[in-house]
Amino acid sequence: MTARDGDAVNPPKTDARRHHDPDVRGFASDNYAGAHPEVMAALALANGGHQIAYGEDDYTANLQQVIRGHFGATAEAFPVFNGTGANVVALQAVADRWGAVICAESAHINVDEGGAPERMAGLKLLTVPTPDGKLTPELIDRQAFGWDDEHRAMPQVVSLAQNTELGTLYTPDEIREICDHAHQLGMKVHLDGSRIANAAAALDVPMRTFTNAAGVDILSLGGTKNGALFGEAVVVINQDAVRHMKHLRKMSMQLASKMRFVSVQLEALLAKDLWLRNARHANEMAQRLAEGVRSVHGVEILYPVQANAVFARLPHDVSERLQKRYRFYFWDEAAGDVRWMCAFDTREEDVDGFLAALKEEMAR
């Protein structure tokens, strides 16, 4: 029996060796998780034979139908390599060269993208302090002025994150109110949806409820944090709000030649319910973790646990000892604040083992 088109009868031999223990899991980031087995199977399915490069393939074409099922009949997906690339391309698409983006001070585009929106996209970020990572019309108005002032970057876009960088969620009504307010001021709305699946799972609503139905113009759609190997997408919802997306993606070095391998992963997540299953599980593990943490004297949970993140404050020396047993990051090291993230593959025994270790270190 022979094989063809890349479908092997027996798994091909390889000289690669495993360099990690697959049973070890931490709480540093949902990016630490591997790819979901169903995503890996989809990648193998897309392999073999030739497909047209640079997005002209059958998988990217089919992805458009899947995206429209989630985000409306006018939605169009532009697969990219990563989340920062998605945000940079999306923001460029809805702003002029002299434009500015209003965002929360804690927003990922401001604190965790190496200045890429400003350095690569050439856009000024106008930040607003928030108590919980969420913007409101009133907070937006602190920066929404000076459109005719040539000495000030022109506010043209409001960027929200769902979930926020602090793990909190906007309700659909809150996003609708922001979109209405921004549009009345002549601005467009971008949503950073790197964890949009976790938000939809927590709110128990379809993603369209707080995107196209709420008035969002353009979306950065996450995949990597929810079980993909790599790849995100810019989803254009309001076609009248954007210009030259194809050229912007290429110029921003986000055009994959073998795009089928990005598109098929997003299709595997979104065509049925894998995206929702993964997100619900991660959220449930965060709730299990938060419930256990609340019973530990001396540990304070800082923000509502609404998705798959738990932010806590505990003694600095305890965190340092605990980090030798489980990976996680300080959020504000001076204050003793830490962030614990759960992923689609976090197990109950992982959470319980971490809680036992936390209690032991707190008791020392």
Side-chain angles (χ1 to χ4, degrees):
M1 185 179 295
T2 60
R4 62 180 181 177
D5 287 339
D7 299 320
V9 175
N10 298 306
K13 293 182 179 180
T14 175
D15 291 329
R17 298 181 181 182
R18 175 168 276 161
H19 298 286
H20 78 291
D21 183 348
D23 288 326
V24 172
R25 288 168 173 80
F27 295 87
S29 173
D30 36 11
N31 284 320
Y32 278 39
H36 193 280
E38 291 180 39
V39 172
M40 294 298 288
L43 281 164
L45 186 69
N47 197 23
H50 285 203
Q51 279 276 285
I52 304 173
Y54 300 110
E56 301 289 330
D57 58 275
D58 294 335
Y59 296 91
T60 302
N62 189 68
L63 176 63
Q64 302 303 330
Q65 300 302 318
V66 174
I67 288 294
R68 290 178 190 124
H70 286 285
F71 300 106
T74 65
E76 184 177 6
F78 294 83
V80 295
F81 288 112
N82 54 44
T84 297
N87 286 334
V88 168
V89 171
L91 292 173
Q92 286 184 94
V94 289
D96 292 312
R97 188 75 174 89
W98 51 88
V101 178
I102 299 174
C103 65
E105 190 174 65
S106 59
H108 195 276
I109 59 173
N110 184 50
V111 301
D112 271 320
E113 295 190 342
E118 295 188 321
R119 291 170 179 251
M120 303 302 294
L123 298 170
K124 173 66 177 174
L125 298 183
L126 302 174
T127 63
V128 182
T130 68
D132 55 3
K134 294 166 60 175
L135 291 173
T136 64
E138 294 74 24
L139 289 173
I140 289 168
D141 283 346
R142 294 185 183 182
Q143 292 283 14
F145 64 90
W147 286 277
D148 293 325
D149 183 356
E150 66 268 35
H151 301 287
R152 189 172 195 266
M154 182 186 291
Q156 292 185 320
V157 185
V158 173
S159 182
L160 313 175
Q162 180 79 316
N163 317 332
T164 74
E165 197 71 356
L166 301 181
T168 53
L169 297 175
Y170 291 93
T171 67
D173 286 343
E174 287 172 332
I175 292 182
R176 187 175 299 108
E177 184 181 15
I178 287 172
C179 289
D180 288 346
H181 186 68
H183 292 154
Q184 287 171 5
L185 295 173
M187 295 189 292
K188 302 178 180 72
V189 178
H190 162 256
L191 190 140
D192 181 348
S194 65
R195 295 187 177 95
I196 189 173
N198 301 93
L203 295 168
D204 196 25
V205 297
M207 291 183 286
R208 70 177 70 89
T209 306
F210 55 85
T211 54
N212 55 302
V216 170
D217 295 296
I218 195 165
L219 162 73
S220 298
L221 176 67
T224 309
K225 293 177 172 64
N226 197 36
L229 181 64
F230 66 92
E232 324 278 298
V234 176
V235 178
V236 176
I237 296 173
N238 178 7
Q239 295 291 337
D240 294 331
V242 305
R243 292 173 295 175
H244 307 297
M245 268 296 303
K246 293 172 67 173
H247 298 280
L248 285 171
R249 179 174 57 177
K250 176 64 174 180
M251 185 179 71
S252 300
M253 298 172 286
Q254 289 293 318
L255 179 65
S257 58
K258 297 184 180 181
M259 196 180 295
R260 58 171 150 163
F261 296 111
V262 181
S263 298
V264 76
Q265 293 181 76
L266 297 174
E267 179 188 10
L269 287 170
L270 297 169
K272 294 184 179 178
D273 68 345
L274 180 58
W275 68 277
L276 190 57
R277 283 187 278 130
N278 286 353
R280 280 178 174 164
H281 178 79
N283 292 356
E284 288 167 2
M285 292 301 98
Q287 290 296 334
R288 185 184 186 92
L289 176 59
E291 183 179 351
V293 168
R294 290 188 183 100
S295 68
V296 182
H297 179 70
V299 182
E300 176 189 1
I301 292 180
L302 299 174
Y303 305 107
V305 179
Q306 297 181 319
N308 63 323
V310 178
F311 290 81
R313 180 173 295 162
L314 62 158
H316 190 280
D317 60 322
V318 172
S319 291
E320 287 189 322
R321 293 197 302 269
L322 194 57
Q323 283 178 325
K324 296 177 181 178
R325 303 172 66 173
Y326 287 88
R327 290 278 304 192
F328 63 89
Y329 292 116
F330 280 102
W331 189 253
D332 182 344
E333 190 165 2
D337 299 351
V338 299
R339 185 191 73 170
W340 298 320
M341 296 295 303
C342 295
F344 77 87
D345 64 346
T346 302
R347 304 166 300 192
E348 290 185 359
E349 54 263 40
D350 300 324
V351 174
D352 295 345
F354 179 78
L355 288 169
L358 173 62
K359 292 174 183 177
E360 290 173 7
E361 297 301 342
M362 287 294 293
R364 284 179 59 179

